[in-house]
Amino acid sequence: MKSRMITGTGIALFAVVSVVTGLGAQEQEAGQNASRVVFKTLLTLDNADGSPWAGLVQGTDGNLYGDSFGGTDGIVFKITPQGKLTTIHNFDGTDGNGPQTALVLATDGNFYGTTYFGGPDPNACNGTGCGTVFKITPAGALTVLHSFDGSCTQTTDCPGGAGPGALVQGSDGNFYGTTYLGGTCYDGCGTVFKITPNGVLTTLYDFSSSNDGGYSPYYLAGLVQGTDGNLYGTTTQGGSCTRFGGCGTVFKITPQGALTTLHSFTGTGAEGWGPGGTLIEATDGNFYGTTGGGGSSQSCAPFSCGTVFKITPQGTFTTLTSLTFPVGWGPSGLVQGTDGNFYGTGANGGGPGNYGTVFEITPEGVLTRLHSFNNSGGDTPVAGLVQATNGTFYGTTLKSETGYGTVYSVSVGLGPFIKSVPTAGKTGTAVKILGNNLALATGVTFNGVVATFTVESSTYLKTTVPTGATTGQVQVTLPSGTLTSNVNFQVLP
């Protein structure tokens, strides 16, 4: 196993490759559906705004929030759906440095996130800092909840982890995440942790060797909580494969820390290797994800293009498709749209210049390239997409012709909907409903059961899970019609 120090970041798939023309039988040209695809570059960032590695999240005010390698040590920003950006926090190193994971909107209305570097001890992790977990209000007041192993000087001296990835808030109100480095193995194999909203951190699992189900959970990814209450994630290395220091795994872990390896990538054939991006649980109850390498396509030679896969909660694994250069390669995870299809980005490929793509894939594996970036409109979309409640997808690119990133939108003709925060809870649980034009709401129901609610703004309602509610869709009634939640709300016992 190669020694890995926390001295830099990057994605190994940033390379120019030869273009192989032609699309496969399971692929479609974007031009066939061009009339429904509207792409807009909302903003090209400058030195102060920087280069965002992460995607965006919608706030209760209807704006989008993200973070970036801007300023000196990174920034947190908000941007309107029309493209007006406001920096709400500048990191100074002691409170974190190098944010590169998406924020999560929590049930308290604040955002929670991580920085890969930084912390109060400038000597930690070879002088870079081991990273932080923070809370930030929509107005920009930031609180450091945890600084990873601020006393350590090497990644091997960081038993609590180093280089944290994205967070997810569990149904118990706590946050769960992974670290790319740290732990007790000799060069730092990573950990799984739980942290309370008040900052009490518990290491749930230590990836102590490549034989225990993988190691190095990808630092741009995170965990997802399934409807069964367990957490699901991936490692980029380890497992049973002996190539590349291990080809990675898919794992399940209980909130108490019991880990099960569901799948070990082989690195052979069309299966793929090196899973990246956060898994998603789709409406069919299965999990979907991507690999950064492998697959059957030769169009990204000498590299591999990556794959899209499906895995059941029990571990039955299926490769849905192999990506190709024209559709995009080096994918960064998926989001399921309200039409049931999946949407993602390829950090590379797409056409001349190798600037990356936005693509769509059906649950059956049919790929459609929706957009090819051209540098002036963005370059290297390493982050995945988010679908806002207006139906439009939003994303970021790492670079552009200015040398910094962009924020963009992609509309495919999907209509408005609502999101609930959280998406699971017991009777009486407080729920935030995000949407558009909600000021005239006349009713809220949970799977048909009427709930009381309060209009907070045109983009935000407050409600509680009503007595007698069962698992199903949340709906908001407006004079103009009914808006439905993008996922079922799970009523817990």
Side-chain angles (χ1 to χ4, degrees):
M1 186 163 54
K2 184 178 179 181
S3 180
R4 300 161 297 120
M5 294 301 180
I6 189 169
T7 57
T9 61
I11 289 182
L13 299 177
F14 291 172
V16 177
V17 300
S18 59
V19 178
V20 177
T21 59
L23 294 173
Q26 291 299 303
E27 299 167 1
Q28 303 176 28
E29 286 281 9
Q32 295 179 11
N33 300 289
S35 60
R36 73 183 179 97
V37 180
V38 179
F39 178 91
K40 294 180 180 179
T41 301
L42 299 178
L43 182 69
T44 299
L45 306 179
D46 58 22
N47 180 54
D49 304 324
S51 301
W53 286 79
L56 304 168
V57 63
Q58 184 176 340
T60 57
D61 58 4
N63 294 315
L64 301 161
Y65 290 77
D67 49 43
S68 171
F69 271 84
T72 302
D73 295 311
I75 66 170
V76 179
F77 64 85
K78 72 175 177 181
I79 185 169
T80 68
Q82 296 75 37
K84 181 181 178 181
L85 184 142
T86 303
T87 297
I88 64 172
H89 182 76
N90 285 280
F91 289 97
D92 63 11
T94 62
D95 60 359
N97 181 359
Q100 51 187 343
T101 58
L103 303 170
V104 58
L105 175 65
T107 55
D108 62 5
N110 297 312
F111 300 97
Y112 290 74
T114 66
T115 64
Y116 191 77
F117 304 114
D121 186 349
N123 298 314
C125 292
N126 301 306
T128 65
C130 300
T132 65
V133 177
F134 64 86
K135 173 179 72 173
I136 187 167
T137 69
L142 186 139
T143 303
V144 176
L145 298 179
H146 181 77
S147 180
F148 283 90
D149 292 303
S151 62
C152 72
T153 56
Q154 302 285 334
T155 56
T156 51
D157 298 328
C158 304
L167 301 173
V168 63
Q169 188 171 29
S171 57
D172 60 2
N174 296 312
F175 298 90
Y176 293 83
T178 60
T179 65
Y180 181 63
L181 299 171
T184 57
C185 86
Y186 72 89
D187 69 349
C189 298
T191 66
V192 179
F193 65 86
K194 174 179 72 174
I195 185 168
T196 69
N198 296 323
V200 179
L201 186 138
T202 304
T203 299
L204 297 179
Y205 190 80
D206 180 353
F207 292 98
S208 58
S209 77
S210 62
N211 298 318
D212 67 354
Y215 63 94
S216 294
Y218 192 36
Y219 51 82
L220 298 184
L223 302 170
V224 60
Q225 187 170 38
T227 53
D228 60 2
N230 295 312
L231 300 153
Y232 292 78
T234 60
T235 65
T236 59
Q237 295 179 280
S240 60
C241 167
T242 58
R243 301 173 62 195
F244 318 115
C247 300
T249 66
V250 180
F251 65 86
K252 171 178 70 174
I253 186 169
T254 69
Q256 294 75 39
L259 186 139
T260 303
T261 299
L262 297 179
H263 181 74
S264 183
F265 289 90
T266 63
T268 60
E271 186 182 85
W273 52 268
T278 304
L279 297 173
I280 61 167
E281 185 177 25
T283 53
D284 63 4
N286 297 311
F287 295 89
Y288 291 76
T290 59
T291 67
S296 59
S297 173
Q298 300 301 310
S299 62
C300 300
F303 300 96
S304 303
C305 297
T307 67
V308 177
F309 64 85
K310 173 178 71 173
I311 187 167
T312 69
Q314 295 75 36
T316 302
F317 182 93
T318 305
T319 299
L320 290 182
T321 191
S322 295
L323 297 178
T324 64
F325 185 96
V327 172
W329 60 288
S332 301
L334 304 169
V335 61
Q336 188 171 31
T338 48
D339 59 355
N341 294 325
F342 302 96
Y343 295 82
T345 59
N348 304 269
N354 190 31
Y355 296 123
T357 66
V358 178
F359 63 83
E360 173 189 41
I361 180 171
T362 68
E364 295 74 35
V366 178
L367 279 166
T368 302
R369 185 183 64 206
L370 301 179
H371 178 75
S372 291
F373 289 92
N374 61 6
N375 192 28
S376 62
D379 176 2
T380 317
V382 296
L385 300 166
V386 62
Q387 187 180 20
T389 54
N390 60 7
T392 299
F393 295 92
Y394 293 85
T396 63
T397 67
L398 183 65
K399 299 183 290 183
S400 70
E401 62 183 354
T402 67
Y404 302 100
T406 67
V407 179
Y408 63 87
S409 67
V410 181
S411 173
V412 294
L414 301 181
F417 61 97
I418 56 172
K419 291 182 179 180
S420 68
V421 180
T423 57
K426 300 179 180 180
T427 297
T429 298
V431 176
K432 293 175 171 60
I433 295 178
L434 281 60
N436 301 85
N437 303 314
L438 301 181
L440 299 178
T442 59
V444 173
T445 60
F446 285 71
N447 202 21
V449 178
V450 175
T452 59
F453 68 95
T454 303
V455 175
E456 295 293 316
S457 70
S458 63
T459 59
Y460 169 36
L461 303 179
K462 281 184 178 179
T463 186
T464 57
V465 180
T467 300
T470 55
T471 297
Q473 291 178 322
V474 181
Q475 292 187 319
V476 174
T477 303
L478 302 172
S480 58
T482 301
L483 296 176
T484 301
S485 60
N486 58 329
V487 298
N488 285 341
F489 187 93
Q490 184 182 12
V491 179
L492 302 176

